Each structure stands twice: as C-alpha cells, then as structure tokens.
Amino acid sequence: MQVFGKFSTNFDMDYLVEQYMYINESEDEKITVDDLENMLKKKRKHVAGTVFLYNPEVSPVGHKMSRFLQEDGFDRYDKFVPLNESPKDYVLNAGFKEHYKGKLVEIRYIFNYNRENIEPTPILEEFDADLDKISSTQLTRYDKQLNYIDIPNIRLSGKFVFFGMGNKYDRHHKAIIAYVRALSEHVNKLDKNVVFMYDNNYDPDECIERAYYLSPFAGGKAREIRANAVKEIFKTVPPQRVKI
C-alpha cells in the first residue's frame, strides 16, 4: 500500500484536495509520484473506486500532522506527494488487497480541511454556517472550492463507491445534515455500485435516505467488528453491503 495526496492552502488553512491509495502488486513493487500521475491520465483503467470519509487527518512524508504545514517547512502545495501511512489506511488496504492489486482507490472527504479531532468543535458550527451560504455570493469561513464538495458536478472514477463518513450528525447542524443527504442521494443515482456497512437501526434503503453510513474506524470492541466488515464488503466482486 502507498498513499498519495495533494494539499492546497488558503487563509492559512490546509485542505487535502486529492488522495489516492495504491494497492501494490507485491511487497517489492513501488510506484512514484510520476507513475501515479501517469495512471491518473487513464482513470477508467486504473481507478477501481472511491471511498468517502469525514475529513482528512494526514501528513506528507517527512512531516508530522500540522494545522498549517507551511509553518513546518512544507512547500509542495498543489502537487502530489507521498503521505505517511496511518492505521486507518491499513483497515482500508486489508479490504482492497484481495481483488484490487495494481489499482488505485480514490479517497474523498465530505470536508477537506486537514485537521485532527474536529468533532465536536466550533469548527462544525462554522461548517454549518458556511453550507447555508454555499450557493450564494456571501463569503465563507472555509474555502468554498477547497473544503466542500460541488455535489451536482461531482465526478467519480471506478465502479464502486464505499460510503464510510459516519452516521452521527448533530441535529442542530441542519445544513450539514442536508449536505450529506444530498451527497448520498446524488451518488446513489449514478451508475456506481454503492456499498456500506449498516446495523439494526436502519435497513439499507433507510441508510441511503438518511446518509447513515457507519465509519469503518472505531475504538474498543467495535474496532475489530468494523475492520472485519470492510474485508467482508470487498470479499466479492462487485463489493456488497454488509450488516454488522
């Protein structure tokens, strides 16, 4: 497994605007950034699918997690760079490695702001306020293009979409709820195999309607259950929805 990303910055804030995971064909095989960019010229051939998560908490190789990478000497904005691997990457890779060796998987986020532990914080209040203005000419706290998904014009490569951005949205954040439900509704109308894990609270159709998509990452007793569910989802081709 190798992970690559592209950071952009505005107003002293860093956003991860593109990310791909490469599933190595063998332990010895590695690709370079140039290889990645060449593969992305033919996305239909090389990108297997897309994963949606909540927000990035990642760092480039050679740097630690930072709220503003420029202060740590990072100067490769708007260019693909290798990313440090994380436990979350290992969970996803364990699911992909059986059937997607030699392929790329795109990792996307409902919010691209690169920061740890944004739930629950005042940041979500700001996101909610921003999303109320997103279709207007009003200024937003976070960059409209860099932080948020342009849902009507979204483009996805590959055959599957794995929704894993979570299921717990504060009921007071009405704009965030509307945003994730709009994303869910739109993507489910596309010609993609949409998969996720779900539980006894809702059936799959209700999950889609409510954007109730359990995260593949959890703590405590749920950690292994969620990780095993990822493997089960991608055990078959095409992947399947899994109840936990």
Side-chain angles (χ1 to χ4, degrees):
M1 169 190 65
Q2 293 173 264
V3 191
F4 300 89
K6 184 184 291 185
F7 294 91
S8 290
T9 189
N10 196 11
F11 301 121
D12 294 342
M13 298 178 189
D14 287 344
Y15 305 91
L16 187 70
V17 294
E18 289 188 70
Q19 182 179 346
Y20 290 91
M21 177 181 291
Y22 177 68
I23 314 305
N24 303 89
E25 296 195 57
S26 68
E27 291 185 7
D28 298 328
E29 186 237 5
K30 300 290 182 184
I31 67 168
T32 65
V33 168
D34 287 343
D35 294 330
L36 170 71
E37 292 177 338
N38 285 330
M39 293 173 77
L40 291 177
K41 291 176 182 177
K42 298 180 179 179
K43 286 187 176 181
R44 286 190 176 184
K45 178 179 179 181
H46 295 292
V47 179
T50 304
V51 176
F52 279 95
L53 303 176
Y54 197 82
N55 83 291
E57 304 173 66
V58 303
S59 58
V61 169
H63 297 266
K64 296 180 180 180
M65 181 65 201
S66 170
R67 293 185 182 180
F68 192 37
L69 288 164
Q70 191 172 350
E71 293 179 350
D72 192 33
F74 181 75
D75 61 358
R76 295 184 60 78
Y77 288 105
D78 302 311
K79 299 176 182 178
F80 277 111
V81 295
L83 302 181
N84 291 312
E85 297 169 2
S86 72
K88 292 182 178 180
D89 295 325
Y90 299 138
V91 170
L92 295 175
N93 178 65
F96 300 142
K97 66 182 182 181
E98 183 171 354
H99 296 297
Y100 298 104
K101 288 181 179 178
K103 295 290 187 180
L104 295 167
V105 176
E106 184 176 16
I107 311 295
R108 298 192 64 160
Y109 299 90
I110 58 173
F111 304 114
N112 291 334
Y113 183 37
N114 189 48
R115 181 165 168 178
E116 295 174 301
N117 303 320
I118 67 171
E119 301 178 82
T121 66
I123 293 172
L124 295 189
E125 300 289 340
E126 295 169 340
F127 285 175
D128 199 58
D130 275 358
L131 288 167
D132 259 342
K133 308 171 188 173
I134 207 77
S135 59
S136 73
T137 58
Q138 297 181 65
L139 292 177
T140 53
R141 174 75 175 89
Y142 297 85
D143 190 283
K144 284 184 181 181
Q145 282 71 44
L146 299 182
N147 193 46
Y148 305 104
I149 298 171
D150 180 10
I151 295 172
N153 298 307
I154 195 170
R155 292 187 177 185
L156 301 174
S157 300
K159 295 183 178 180
F160 72 78
V161 172
F162 173 37
F163 275 131
M165 63 269 209
N167 61 303
K168 297 179 180 179
Y169 309 108
D170 189 312
R171 62 187 178 87
H172 299 295
H173 296 157
K174 297 185 184 302
I176 291 177
I177 293 172
Y179 171 65
V180 294
R181 288 182 176 175
L183 175 65
S184 175
E185 180 181 359
H186 185 79
V187 171
N188 274 282
K189 290 179 180 178
L190 302 178
D191 185 24
K192 303 292 179 185
N193 179 29
V194 178
V195 296
F196 48 86
M197 60 184 77
Y198 62 102
D199 56 21
N200 286 325
N201 287 309
Y202 300 107
D203 65 31
D205 288 340
E206 291 171 324
C207 289
I208 291 169
E209 180 183 350
R210 297 171 176 267
Y212 181 93
Y213 299 116
L214 299 174
S215 170
F217 319 116
K221 295 179 180 179
R223 178 182 299 176
E224 187 172 353
I225 294 172
R226 301 283 179 93
N228 286 335
V230 173
K231 294 179 184 178
E232 189 68 21
I233 287 171
F234 293 99
K235 184 178 180 180
T236 60
V237 178
Q240 59 189 339
R241 298 168 185 175
V242 168
K243 185 175 182 179
I244 61 172

